[in-house]
DNA sequence: GAGCACTGC
């Protein structure tokens, strides 16, 4: 009975040898396609090796021979770094040598770099300096089917660049369902030939099979009354009736749970659709909903609401079950409901505030943004709203041309237009150092306070130590000042004050980056002002409040007798978010950084008191009719 | 008195 335990004697390899990946047998045909066709759309499952192998195939085939490089864009920072590390390992070099990556705040490339991974947003920024992206012989846009704003815009730019650079090769990696859309986008218009209408053959689709196992899809007989209850009972059913394997539940909000016998049950938001892959998942429970952000161009308000998912998302969720062995996907909706779902989510570019992207396009020399060749054109109202805001901030002139230097500088700064305007006005208000800090702190976009369960009061009192009468922006300034002076950037300071150290450290990086930009514009940042006497402090506070008004006048609100706010035109009721220092405090007029509708309430966050007269002083055009 | 998906420069 020499039945020894293989599992104990062998450790499974972390990575499959590259030559065993299914992509290996496609090498020659892939290289031929890329050589002969300007645009190649690669369809393949996660695990097919497309992101790691294709760049190496190209490098070996001589695509870097004349000093040009191969660029591979990723929608997320982690993806750019981890794939680069993996490829460097296979290539046999240190990261940053022949294989490198570049993301915001981290550039691991050098003169020897031939294969470069970067985020798509960063590549768009490179185009500001090098409009034809002339350093690259090949650009591969990975995960294009996710349809992020930046990858959509990048594809539009690449289509334009290709006309002037026929040598450039474009590779798009996509999920199966969306491949045709990319091909249509890159194909020349149909031409009449003696044989009838023919499609231009500029773009070819190549399919790489991945390693997946069959997945059983199960639907409900009748709709669930409460999908949360149904999710829980489904998990219990799986646990009692199905063989071993972990369970992934895609829903809208996130929590963690563990059942006996160590079957892992993971409740997950849509982070599981794109960002993380968890090993061992055999069962997927799909709630049928996704929480999506949308922007209303009429009100300028963003919302975050649960909506039915798309067929593409449902397929993505189900796919998570078949990674390691045959799996099952339990859909908490009926098959009829599935049939009525939209094919794909509305692309982000059609449901977002476009002001930042209109500004970027203008800076890239695309004057007529309405006629830009978008993969999916955004509704005109979204474009117009973006243009109007940029005009009111002075970034565009009467002819909708980018102003210089203001508009161009705003485009170069890595913050939203209203904050960019605030930053570029700060020197004239004598508070540039302070606004730099506020810009860095507000763009963290997350809660800097740590709240342990059941310790709400502790967090509240920690916050109160830094509270400023004037509002959240000055409170954030106090927090940062204490962090870099008293706290000497230590994690202990954060621990004692219930602050998120990672976010605070990030604020330091963002501030340094913004400061470098300003210095390049010739603005001098005087940091000696940080220590000022109390008599000038109140004056300083007012200068900061005035400066914020100069950038955020479009986000002004007035308090009503009942304690809620209304926007200037009086059409929308706004609530101070309970996380704001202005929650339950009196103020007449305020400006705010962000407005978002969740559930049935519209909240404003990062709020600062202002005087009504300042609105007229700094935005006379904008407020002349009110 | 909220409890808000995710990401990026």
């Amino acid at each position: 009975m020499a039945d020894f335990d293989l599992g104990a004697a062998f450790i499974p390899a972390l990575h499959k040898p590259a030559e065993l990946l299914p992509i290996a047998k496609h090498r020659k045909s892939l290289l031929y396609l890329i050589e002969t066709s300007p645009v190649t759309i690669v369809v393949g499952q996660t695990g097919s090796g497309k992101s790691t192998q294709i760049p190496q195939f190209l490098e070996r085939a001589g695509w870097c021979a004349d000093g040009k490089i191969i660029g591979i864009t990723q929608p997320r920072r982690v993806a750019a770094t981890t794939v680069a590390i993996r490829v460097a390992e296979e290539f046999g070099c240190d990261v940053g040598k022949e294989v490198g990556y570049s993301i915001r705040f981290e550039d691991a490339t050098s003169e020897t770099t031939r294969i470069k991974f970067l985020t798509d947003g960063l590549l768009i920024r490179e185009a500001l300096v090098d409009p034809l992206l002339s350093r690259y012989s090949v650009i591969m846009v990975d995960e294009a089917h996710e349809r992020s704003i930046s990858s959509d815009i990048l594809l539009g730019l690449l289509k334009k660049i290709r006309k002037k650079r026929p040598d450039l090769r474009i590779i798009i990696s996509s999920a199966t369902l969306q491949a045709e859309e990319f091909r249509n986008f890159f194909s020349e218009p149909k031409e009449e030939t003696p044989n009838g209408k023919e499609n231009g053959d500029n773009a070819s689709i190549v399919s790489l099979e991945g390693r997946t196992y069959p997945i059983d899809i199960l639907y409900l007989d009748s709709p669930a009354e409460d999908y949360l209850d149904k999710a829980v009972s489904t998990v219990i059913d799986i646990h009692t009736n199905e063989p071993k394997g972990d369970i992934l539940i895609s829903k809208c909000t996130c929590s963690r749970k563990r059942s006996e016998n160590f079957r892992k049950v993971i409740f997950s938001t849509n982070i599981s659709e794109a960002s993380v892959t968890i090993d061992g998942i055999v069962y997927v429970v799909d709630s049928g909903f996704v929480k999506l952000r949308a922007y209303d161009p009429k009100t300028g308000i963003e919302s975050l609401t649960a909506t039915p998912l798309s067929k593409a998302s449902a397929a993505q969720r189900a796919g998570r079950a078949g990674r390691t062995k045959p799996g099952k996907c339990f859909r908490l909706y009926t098959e009829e409901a599935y049939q009525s779902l939209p094919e794909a989510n509305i692309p982000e570019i059609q449901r977002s505030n476009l002001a930042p992207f209109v500004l970027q396009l203008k800076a890239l020399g695309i004057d007529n943004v309405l006629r830009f060749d978008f993969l999916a054109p955004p509704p005109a109202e979204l474009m117009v709203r973006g243009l109007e805001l940029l005009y009111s901030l002075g970034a565009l002139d009467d002819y909708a041309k980018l102003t210089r230097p203001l508009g161009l500088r705003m485009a170069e700064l890595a913050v939203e237009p209203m904050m960019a305007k605030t930053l570029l006005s700060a020197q004239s208000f004598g508070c540039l150092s302070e606004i730099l800090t506020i810009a860095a702190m507000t763009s963290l976009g997350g809660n800097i306070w740590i709240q342990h369960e059941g310790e709400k009061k502790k967090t509240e009192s920690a916050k109160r130590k830094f509270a400023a009468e004037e509002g959240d922006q000055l409170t954030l300034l106090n927090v940062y000042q204490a962090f870099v002076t008293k706290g000497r950037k230590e994690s202990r300071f954060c621990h004692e004050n219930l602050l998120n150290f990672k976010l605070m450290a990030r604020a330091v990086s963002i501030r340094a980056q913004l400061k470098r930009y300003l210095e390049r514009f010739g603005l001098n940042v005087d940091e000696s002002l940080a220590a000022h006497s109390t008599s000038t402090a109140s004056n300083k506070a007012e200068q900061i409040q005035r400066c914020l008004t100069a950038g955020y006048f479009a986000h002004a609100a007035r308090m009503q007798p009942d304690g809620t706010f209304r926007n200037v035109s009086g059409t929308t009721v706004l609530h101070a978010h309970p996380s704001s220092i202005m929650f339950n405090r009196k103020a007449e007029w305020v400006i705010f950084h962000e407005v978002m509708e969740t559930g049935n309430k519209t909240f404003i966050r990062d709020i600062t008191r202002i005087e009504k007269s300042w609105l007229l002083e700094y935005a006379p055009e904008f407020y002349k009719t009110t």
Side-chain angles (χ1 to χ4, degrees):
Chain A
M1 302 285 117
D3 205 20
F4 62 94
D5 185 358
L6 281 172
F10 293 91
I11 300 161
L14 195 57
H15 306 311
K16 296 180 189 88
E19 62 271 17
L20 294 185
L21 286 167
I23 196 175
K25 60 171 182 272
H26 292 281
R27 191 179 63 90
K28 275 191 180 163
S29 56
L30 258 172
L31 285 172
Y32 176 78
L33 260 183
I34 295 165
E35 173 90 42
T36 52
S37 117
V39 181
T40 307
I41 296 139
V42 183
V43 173
Q45 307 277 357
T46 317
S48 64
K50 55 188 157 60
S51 325
T52 57
Q53 303 309 306
I54 293 175
Q56 298 184 71
F57 293 168
L58 291 166
E59 197 277 338
R60 267 182 264 142
W63 282 90
C64 302
D66 50 357
K68 286 204 163 52
I69 62 173
I70 298 159
I72 307 96
T73 72
Q74 296 290 335
R76 284 166 291 279
R77 294 159 54 93
V78 263
T81 53
T82 53
V83 183
I85 291 166
R86 167 85 181 276
V87 172
E89 215 175 275
E90 286 183 11
F91 196 90
C93 70
D94 289 335
V95 183
K97 294 288 169 54
E98 283 79 8
V99 181
Y101 66 87
S102 193
I103 57 177
R104 189 184 186 185
F105 307 128
E106 258 181 87
D107 183 19
T109 62
S110 59
E111 279 177 11
T112 54
T113 301
R114 294 155 156 250
I115 299 175
K116 174 175 166 181
F117 291 86
L118 72 171
T119 48
D120 38 32
L122 200 59
L123 188 61
I124 295 177
R125 293 222 156 231
E126 281 190 13
L128 283 174
V129 188
D130 176 11
L132 292 181
L133 298 172
S134 56
R135 299 177 56 208
Y136 297 90
S137 58
V138 184
I139 290 171
M140 173 165 165
V141 181
D142 211 351
E143 314 284 4
H145 61 273
E146 287 184 22
R147 306 296 303 270
S148 71
I149 297 191
S150 31
S151 80
D152 264 26
I153 287 182
L154 185 59
L155 291 173
L157 288 175
L158 289 174
K159 186 173 174 182
K160 208 172 147 78
I161 289 170
R162 198 177 68 78
K163 289 178 187 147
K164 290 187 182 158
R165 276 199 58 198
D167 59 306
L168 177 70
R169 288 298 179 270
I170 298 164
I171 302 170
I172 299 161
S173 102
S174 161
T176 318
L177 289 172
Q178 291 90 339
E180 201 63 41
E181 207 173 340
F182 293 118
R183 180 179 31 204
N184 292 341
F185 179 66
F186 278 100
S187 292
E188 292 301 323
K190 287 174 186 177
E191 279 174 37
E192 291 287 346
T193 68
N195 304 324
K197 276 190 178 181
E198 265 181 25
N199 222 345
D201 56 357
N202 286 305
S204 337
I205 297 178
V206 56
S207 197
L208 310 168
E209 76 269 29
R211 284 165 188 274
T212 50
Y213 297 88
I215 299 156
D216 276 342
I217 309 271
L218 297 104
Y219 293 97
L220 291 184
D221 280 341
S222 56
E225 271 179 39
D226 181 330
Y227 79 86
L228 204 54
D229 285 348
K230 197 74 202 172
V232 173
S233 63
T234 306
V235 169
I236 293 165
D237 284 352
I238 294 170
H239 185 52
T240 45
N241 301 321
E242 297 283 344
K244 80 178 197 189
D246 295 337
I247 308 170
L248 179 72
I249 300 149
S250 300
K251 54 187 290 286
C252 297
T253 47
C254 192
S255 60
R256 281 176 300 170
K257 194 177 177 174
R258 173 169 284 183
S259 354
E260 281 284 303
N261 264 348
F262 297 102
R263 192 199 290 267
K264 222 188 306 173
V265 180
I266 302 144
F267 281 81
S268 159
T269 62
N270 48 5
I271 191 169
S272 62
E273 263 178 56
S275 300
V276 290
T277 311
I278 306 155
D279 286 330
I281 300 292
V282 178
Y283 307 101
V284 164
V285 180
D286 171 12
S287 69
F289 290 98
V290 62
K291 210 155 216 167
L292 274 188
R293 196 186 55 190
Y295 175 82
D296 181 348
K298 288 188 195 74
T299 58
I301 292 171
E302 273 196 330
S303 59
L304 195 59
T305 33
T307 45
L309 85 175
S310 65
K311 285 180 185 155
S313 280
Q316 195 77 18
R317 288 181 182 185
R320 297 282 156 178
R323 292 275 185 268
T324 41
K325 56 175 168 174
K328 285 187 178 178
C329 176
F330 298 83
R331 292 181 170 163
L332 301 182
Y333 41 96
T334 64
E335 193 162 3
E336 294 81 69
Y338 172 79
Q339 293 305 339
S340 68
L341 293 175
E343 292 298 321
N345 288 338
I346 296 173
E348 206 184 359
I349 202 165
Q350 295 182 331
R351 50 182 168 87
S352 302
N353 170 15
L354 296 182
F357 300 94
V358 170
L359 191 58
Q360 285 226 324
L361 288 174
K362 292 270 180 187
L364 287 165
I366 294 146
D367 261 329
N368 195 339
V369 287
L370 294 167
R371 286 193 56 194
F372 181 69
D373 200 350
F374 289 103
L375 196 55
E381 305 86 66
L382 279 178
M383 297 291 281
V384 169
R385 177 91 188 190
L387 286 162
E388 280 171 353
L389 176 71
L390 294 170
Y391 174 76
S392 74
L393 290 170
L396 301 179
D397 65 16
D398 288 345
Y399 306 96
K401 288 237 183 213
L402 195 68
T403 57
R404 280 153 211 268
L406 180 64
L408 186 61
R409 287 177 176 180
M410 281 174 64
E412 284 181 51
L413 284 169
V415 287
E416 305 139 87
M418 286 191 261
M419 185 51 92
K421 175 65 186 288
T422 308
L423 263 173
L424 292 167
S425 314
Q427 196 174 50
S428 65
F429 288 94
C431 55
L432 186 49
S433 167
E434 289 81 2
I435 293 290
L436 257 177
T437 300
I438 290 170
M441 291 292 283
T442 49
S443 64
L444 291 175
N447 199 348
I448 56 164
W449 301 98
I450 292 167
Q451 193 160 296
H452 297 292
E453 237 178 84
E455 296 190 351
K456 215 190 308 187
K457 278 189 179 158
K458 247 185 168 173
T459 309
E460 286 304 316
S461 65
K463 256 164 118 171
R464 252 196 303 276
K465 271 188 262 176
F466 301 97
E469 168 75 4
E470 294 83 2
D472 295 309
Q473 277 82 346
L474 276 100
T475 303
L476 290 171
L477 176 63
N478 289 341
V479 171
Y480 185 92
Q481 300 275 35
F483 176 66
V484 293
T485 53
K486 290 183 209 133
R488 288 190 218 95
K489 304 183 188 176
E490 283 173 14
S491 59
R492 189 168 51 89
F493 170 83
C494 288
H495 188 76
E496 284 163 6
N497 289 287
L498 295 171
L499 280 162
N500 182 329
F501 177 73
K502 267 193 168 173
L503 278 182
M504 290 306 297
R506 194 173 159 78
V508 175
S509 302
I510 297 175
R511 191 183 187 282
Q513 191 196 35
L514 294 174
K515 186 179 168 182
R516 279 197 300 275
Y517 274 114
L518 294 175
E519 283 169 347
R520 223 180 52 215
F521 300 154
L523 296 167
N524 179 35
V525 184
D526 186 356
E527 304 282 25
S528 68
L529 294 169
H532 46 258
S533 69
T534 39
S535 63
T536 58
S538 68
N539 184 45
K540 174 72 79 178
E542 183 177 321
Q543 292 308 104
I544 294 168
Q545 288 168 288
R546 283 173 176 268
C547 183
L548 285 166
T549 311
Y552 283 87
F553 54 84
H555 272 182
R558 182 185 199 168
M559 193 176 259
Q560 306 298 302
D562 65 357
T564 65
F565 290 91
R566 259 171 214 265
N567 62 347
V568 177
S569 60
T571 48
T572 312
V573 179
L574 305 165
H575 300 263
H577 193 274
S579 65
S580 168
I581 213 83
M582 296 304 290
F583 181 79
N584 270 347
R585 291 199 195 194
K586 285 261 179 291
E588 175 94 30
W589 286 85
V590 296
I591 55 94
F592 53 87
H593 175 70
E594 193 185 44
V595 51
M596 170 145 317
E597 183 193 331
T598 51
N600 47 11
K601 269 188 175 174
T602 305
F603 293 102
I604 53 175
R605 302 216 286 191
D606 290 334
I607 306 166
T608 287
R609 284 196 170 94
I610 57 152
E611 299 284 333
K612 183 191 181 186
S613 61
W614 299 344
L615 290 173
L616 301 167
E617 192 175 339
Y618 304 119
E621 286 289 307
F622 195 80
Y623 284 113
K624 65 185 170 192
T625 53
T626 51

